[in-house]
Amino acid sequence: MLAYARDRRRWLVFGRPRRVGSETHRERAEVLLESLLTLGPTFIKLGQLLSTRPDVLPPAYIDVLSALQDEVPPADWADARVVVEEDLGPVEERFDEFDTDAISGASLGQVYHASVGGDDVAVKIRRPGIEALVEADLRVIRWSLPVLIRFVDESRSFSLGNLADEFAKTIREEIDYHREARMLAEIRSNFADDDRFLIPEVYEAYSSDRVLTMAYIDGTKINQVDELDAKGIDRQQVAENLQRSYLQMIIDDGVFHADPHPGNLAVTDDGRIVFYDFGMSGRVDSFVQDRIVEFYIAIANQDIDAILDSLIAIGTLSPEADRAVMADVMELAIADARGEDIEQYRVQQIVGQIEDSIYEFPFRLPKNLALVLRVATVVEGVCVTLDPDFDFIATATDYLTEQGYREESIQRVLEDTAGEVRDASRSAVRIPPKLERTLDRLDRDDQFVRIGVEDSDQVFATLAKRLVYGMLLTMSLFSMGVLYALDAPIAAVVAAVFSAVLSIVLYWSFRTPSSISTKPQFTRQNLRQRREQE
């Protein structure tokens, strides 16, 4: 936290603002990674969440933390057995067979293979004692983040405040297996008629808020491309199906699986995608769904202005952002997503470009969009692993067209255009009389113009202070000379000290760049510098 705060201002609460290089960021990110691993389960989850928040951390941090995997040794079976038997009863009586060697271990729970009534099942057991540990760690986070917020800018303080609330809500939901069972069942029903996907069935009689029993579905991990090729599976088709599944969940269904990393996705021998672990899942309200549709349609049409408008409408981009620079970045991102040759402008892959711009620009991530961003980022990585030439824009465009969203968008545009034409016709009738009255007032010299000047950076206040300091300094120097001439050495020394203090204050007012220049933003000059560095 101390290093992160000093990235903005040399001496935390005073001193010149500064920017450190990517190497310094990477070194600090490595230290942060080790600290999170040492601090345990809750902070491992926090690190995973931070790795999807480029509005909070610089790109170097995102790159380092993205390697953080939620894989820890499982708890002893004796401890896990206590949890099962307290909730369900004796293991031998409830299950036909139970393999006490965990299939996988994570920070919050572990999964075992068992059988019930002749069916293979996967039994997910909450890690013993994790509730108290999570609550203690959340208290530390709730205490720490408000302190850090005092040392960062307004945009990042907004995101950090949201992060604390979002993380507490997410991790509590993830250890509530009753909620996970409900979300799993709802998403499973949404894909019930689609044979391209498999979602495990929940065995409610063998589940509780700490134990979740599901049908066991075997498959090849989605990132094991060599094995998929050996089985003759069409990886390009799997990538397209995966992208379409998340478009349906987010845009149509409003409920989605929010942890699509390769460990939670598999492919059966006949090419169907299997979803595991619904502990991290979320909902999207209709307003956000509509804005996301607008965003995807704008991308499909390559309408840069519409893309920026949709980002502003959804609350992720400040209306004060430099639209010209943002338009350049979006054009590069779209060209990169389509695999087009952009020569020296190709700085990095589309996610890197967007994440970098989010950190540099006045971006904010509302709570209801954080999980959506995480999903989009991770799914993109999985699809590129399956098919390096995968075209996200083409897939999204086809999906929106098939579902009729683009036709609805065109209809709305036509309706809006008709309304604008009607308004323009009314205005055309009202303008001539108003124009004639204005010209008459100008002819009589009876026209006044009021000008309001916005000064959010308090430039005029700073100039006024400098003017006052200068006047006081002049007066004190004059007084010092007069007092010395009148043989009043003590008074002259006091005047000299006062003059020295004023000189220092005036000097520092000019040393502080933020006093009269604008806030640092991602400008065209910075863009050129980055291209040269690349």
Side-chain angles (χ1 to χ4, degrees):
M1 286 174 55
L2 184 65
Y4 182 80
R6 288 196 66 234
D7 285 354
R8 266 68 182 175
R9 194 169 291 275
R10 183 172 297 277
W11 305 113
L12 295 183
V13 293
F14 62 91
R16 298 183 63 183
R18 68 170 183 171
R19 295 166 60 88
V20 299
S22 59
E23 287 301 319
T24 302
H25 280 154
R26 183 167 292 277
E27 291 172 5
R28 291 178 179 171
E30 295 287 353
V31 174
L32 175 61
L33 178 63
E34 292 300 322
S35 299
L36 294 172
L37 290 171
T38 303
L39 286 169
T42 309
F43 289 90
I44 291 174
K45 285 291 181 183
L46 178 61
Q48 289 181 308
L49 180 60
L50 287 171
S51 71
T52 64
R53 295 301 298 269
D55 59 322
V56 173
L57 293 177
Y61 279 80
I62 299 297
D63 186 44
V64 171
L65 293 181
S66 63
L68 186 61
Q69 296 296 319
D70 188 16
E71 295 178 359
V72 297
D76 291 338
W77 162 243
D79 297 329
R81 183 186 187 117
V82 172
V83 175
V84 176
E85 296 192 338
E86 284 180 354
D87 286 18
L88 303 181
V91 173
E92 291 78 6
E93 295 180 9
R94 297 305 308 273
F95 296 91
D96 299 338
E97 295 181 7
F98 202 105
D99 187 352
T100 58
D101 292 328
I103 301 172
S104 65
S107 57
L108 302 180
Q110 52 223 24
V111 181
Y112 296 85
H113 182 249
S115 63
V116 173
D119 297 335
D120 285 343
V121 295
V123 183
K124 185 179 179 181
I125 304 172
R126 187 193 297 172
R127 186 173 286 269
I130 194 64
E131 304 94 325
L133 179 60
V134 165
E135 291 302 324
D137 289 341
L138 288 177
R139 284 195 294 273
V140 173
I141 294 169
R142 281 197 299 270
W143 173 85
S144 302
L145 283 181
V147 176
L148 180 60
I149 284 173
R150 295 179 178 272
F151 301 106
V152 299
D153 56 65
E154 181 182 352
S155 177
R156 254 164 286 283
S157 67
F158 174 89
S159 295
L160 283 170
N162 280 348
L163 177 67
D165 297 336
E166 173 206 340
F167 178 66
K169 177 177 178 289
T170 300
I171 198 167
R172 288 194 181 108
E173 289 177 346
E174 195 166 350
I175 61 177
D176 181 359
Y177 289 175
H178 271 320
R179 177 187 180 275
E180 180 176 350
R182 292 194 303 271
M183 299 294 279
L184 192 159
E186 183 175 352
I187 295 174
R188 185 172 186 270
S189 67
N190 292 334
F191 287 97
D193 299 327
D194 197 330
D195 59 3
R196 295 173 298 176
F197 310 103
L198 282 176
I199 298 174
E201 179 184 0
V202 176
Y203 288 68
E204 295 183 2
Y206 297 85
S207 301
S208 67
D209 64 337
R210 297 190 298 172
V211 180
L212 179 60
T213 302
M214 305 161 285
Y216 178 82
I217 304 176
D218 197 11
T220 304
K221 273 191 176 183
I222 201 165
N223 62 339
Q224 295 178 346
V225 293
D226 292 338
E227 190 168 344
L228 293 176
D229 289 339
K231 294 182 177 181
I233 295 173
D234 186 346
R235 289 191 279 115
Q236 289 80 6
Q237 188 60 54
V238 171
E240 182 175 339
N241 290 344
L242 181 64
Q243 176 77 357
R244 283 173 169 270
S245 69
Y246 278 94
L247 288 171
Q248 176 183 325
M249 283 189 274
I250 293 172
I251 294 176
D252 293 329
D253 302 334
V255 56
F256 61 96
H257 176 254
D259 198 14
H261 68 77
N264 290 337
L265 298 170
V267 182
T268 62
D269 291 347
D270 58 356
R272 293 190 287 177
I273 298 174
V274 185
F275 295 87
Y276 303 124
D277 193 356
F278 288 76
M280 189 177 292
S281 51
R283 294 187 181 276
V284 187
D285 59 47
S286 58
F287 173 80
V288 175
Q289 284 179 303
D290 291 342
R291 303 291 80 73
I292 292 174
V293 168
E294 291 174 0
F295 177 71
Y296 274 120
I297 290 174
I299 291 179
N301 296 335
Q302 298 191 41
D303 187 342
I304 303 299
D305 286 332
I307 292 174
L308 299 181
D309 290 339
S310 63
L311 291 175
I312 292 172
I314 207 169
T316 59
L317 178 63
S318 168
E320 299 175 359
D322 187 333
R323 289 182 68 98
V325 180
M326 286 298 299
D328 289 342
V329 174
M330 290 300 171
E331 287 176 357
L332 298 181
I334 291 175
D336 198 26
R338 289 193 174 279
E340 298 175 4
D341 183 11
I342 53 177
E343 300 175 355
Q344 73 271 22
Y345 298 109
R346 189 183 184 96
V347 179
Q348 49 188 307
Q349 295 300 321
I350 182 173
V351 174
Q353 290 172 331
I354 294 176
E355 288 180 350
D356 194 23
S357 65
I358 286 177
Y359 177 69
E360 296 291 343
F361 282 101
F363 264 83
R364 293 178 172 184
L365 276 184
K367 297 177 187 177
N368 54 2
L369 277 183
L371 277 181
V372 175
L373 176 68
R374 171 187 171 84
V375 167
T377 304
V378 179
V379 168
E380 178 180 327
V382 174
C383 289
V384 169
T385 301
L386 289 167
D387 179 11
D389 299 322
F390 185 72
D391 192 335
F392 300 93
I393 296 177
T395 302
T397 301
D398 291 344
Y399 182 85
L400 294 170
T401 303
E402 292 168 8
Q403 301 300 318
Y405 287 112
R406 297 189 76 184
E407 293 180 5
E408 293 176 7
S409 176
I410 293 171
Q411 182 64 32
R412 284 198 299 270
V413 169
L414 292 175
E415 292 174 357
D416 292 342
T417 302
E420 290 174 1
V421 170
R422 288 194 300 271
D423 293 340
S425 300
R426 296 191 191 101
S427 298
V429 174
R430 292 194 299 264
I431 285 174
K434 291 183 178 181
L435 181 59
E436 184 177 1
R437 288 195 299 270
T438 302
L439 293 174
D440 288 342
R441 294 187 66 180
L442 286 173
D443 188 50
R444 297 193 304 267
D445 294 332
D446 191 26
Q447 185 72 23
F448 297 93
V449 178
R450 272 198 298 253
I451 300 176
V453 179
E454 292 186 3
D455 187 22
S456 59
D457 293 331
Q458 296 185 334
V459 174
F460 290 112
T462 301
L463 291 174
K465 287 179 182 178
R466 290 176 181 172
L467 182 61
V468 172
Y469 293 154
M471 294 173 61
L472 289 174
L473 179 60
T474 302
M475 293 174 60
S476 63
L477 290 173
F478 178 76
S479 300
M480 180 181 65
V482 171
L483 292 170
Y484 182 78
L486 294 175
D487 198 19
I490 296 178
V493 169
V494 172
V497 172
F498 186 63
S499 299
V501 171
L502 285 173
S503 298
I504 293 172
V505 171
L506 187 59
Y507 170 75
W508 275 107
S509 74
F510 282 97
R511 282 289 303 272
T512 305
S514 59
S515 60
I516 194 165
S517 61
T518 58
K519 294 179 181 179
Q521 291 194 13
F522 192 65
T523 61
R524 294 181 185 274
Q525 182 179 356
N526 290 336
L527 182 61
R528 286 195 297 270
Q529 290 174 352
R530 292 186 180 199
R531 290 170 182 166
E532 292 171 1
Q533 291 174 359
E534 291 292 334

